[in-house]
Every structure is written in structure tokens, then in C-alpha cells.
Amino acid sequence: MTVDVRTDPAPASVAPRRTARRRSAKPRLTRIGLSVLSVALGILVWDLVSRNYTAFFLPSPMLTWQGAVDLVQDGTLWDSITASSTRILTGWALGVVIGVPVGLLMGCIPWLRLMLDPYIQFFRFVPPIAFVTLAIIWLGPGEASKVALIFYTTVFIVALNTLAGVLAVDDLRLRAARALGASPLRSLVSVVLPSTVPHVVTGARLAMGNSFLTIVSAEIVAAQSGLGSLIWTARNYAKTEWVFVGILALGLLGYLFDWILRTVTRTTLRRYGVTF
């Protein structure tokens, strides 16, 4: 008696899933390839242009790389990145923690919004660099003044974006929640807050970018460490390649922070409509 042993074909749903994965992988590889090509072309153009100028005016990519190696070897670059990152993350986190409740309260309580609106509208147009001197006088030249400036940069952006999210909530959803017996607090938690999450994330990302703008100004004026201080010190020593290293470090650090923020929020808050 012969037994016909046959391999059962894969379930019908498995093949489409594999095909979908292959199709989604191709655009991702294409995006990565185009990004790498773009960076390579940028470095090539930079190298070609730098050959027509002195190293003081425009250092070449190789000279900048050598400067980065020197700063890494003596620990200056790592210390600068650590100092700036700590200040940015501390001030940014405090700004988000304070800005979100302020924006929610302003959106839900009309009289509070009317009272706080003049201050919000006034201070958001005053750049943080204008307060650098006052921050140093009031809080000293230590870490508190830099963190306070980052907080100042963050809190208004987050509050305004949160306020915009609250005001954008469909009134029909609020009426439906009230008709079902939801209290104001319940409506806030189950309707307003979930609808506002994408606006909060957008505000946090914008505030992160502005935090990098602010930290350079604060560290140039009063700091012995940090990427802003590194750039200013490089100017004093006529080391233009160090200036380029500091600028590149700021750009790469900002890109990394934004990528982490996007990845975390997209993974944990997708159900609230955060997909970017």
C-alpha cells in the first residue's frame, strides 16, 4: 500500500501577505537609495566647490571629517553633544508637559482663553534670544537659564497647537457625548483629548526644531560646553572645519531626535490618527 505524501499548499491568506510585504519593501528601499544618493551628490558638490576656496573660507569634506575625528578623540564633540542634548530634552519635555494642559484648558474654558490669549499672542512673537541676557541675570549662567529658554520656546508652540486641536473637534461629537450622558470631564477624556493628539504631536515636533535654534544662541552667549559653545570657540581659533562639525552635529542630532519622536508616536498613537 502506497501512501501519497503531499505538502499542503500555504493558506490562501499567506501568499497575499507575503506579496504585500515585498511590495512595501520596494518603495522603502527606493526611498533609502534616493536619500543616500542625494547625500552623496551633496558631498560631491561640496568637495568640488571647496577646491576653489581656502580652507578658512570653505573647508573640504575631508578636512571637516578630520576635524570631527580630532574632536571625537579628545572628547570635545561627545561632551558638546551630551550637554546640548540634555538641555534640549529637559526644556522641551517641561514645555510639552505644561503646554498641553494649558492648551486644553484654554480650548475648553472660553473665559480662560480670553484672559490668557493676550499673553500667548505677545510672548510667542518675542524670540527667545531676546531673553538670553535676562535669563542669565535672573537664573545665573548655569543650566537653569538654558533650560528655561528651551522651555519658553516650547510651551507656547505646544499650547497653541493643542488649542487649535481642541477648537477643531467636531461639535456634533461633543453633543452626542452629552446626549449619551457623558460629563464634561468624560467628554474631555473620551472625545476632546483623542481628537487633539495629532495636533499635540505636531506642536511637539515644531517645538523640538525651535529648541535647536534657541540652544545655539544660549550656549554662544553663556556656556562652556555644548554645540553652540563649540561653534563659537572654533570661530575664535579660526577653525572653520570645527564650525562645520558643530553645524553637522546639530543637523544630525535634530534629525535623530525627530525620527525617534515620529517613530514612537506613530507606533503608540496610531489609533489616534498619528501616521506621520
Side-chain angles (χ1 to χ4, degrees), residues 110 129 164 182 192 197 216 228:
I129 192 173
V192 176
V197 168
V216 174

Side-chain angles (χ1 to χ4, degrees), residues 2-8:
T2 18
V3 180
D4 187 12
V5 180
R6 297 180 182 176
T7 306
D8 292 335

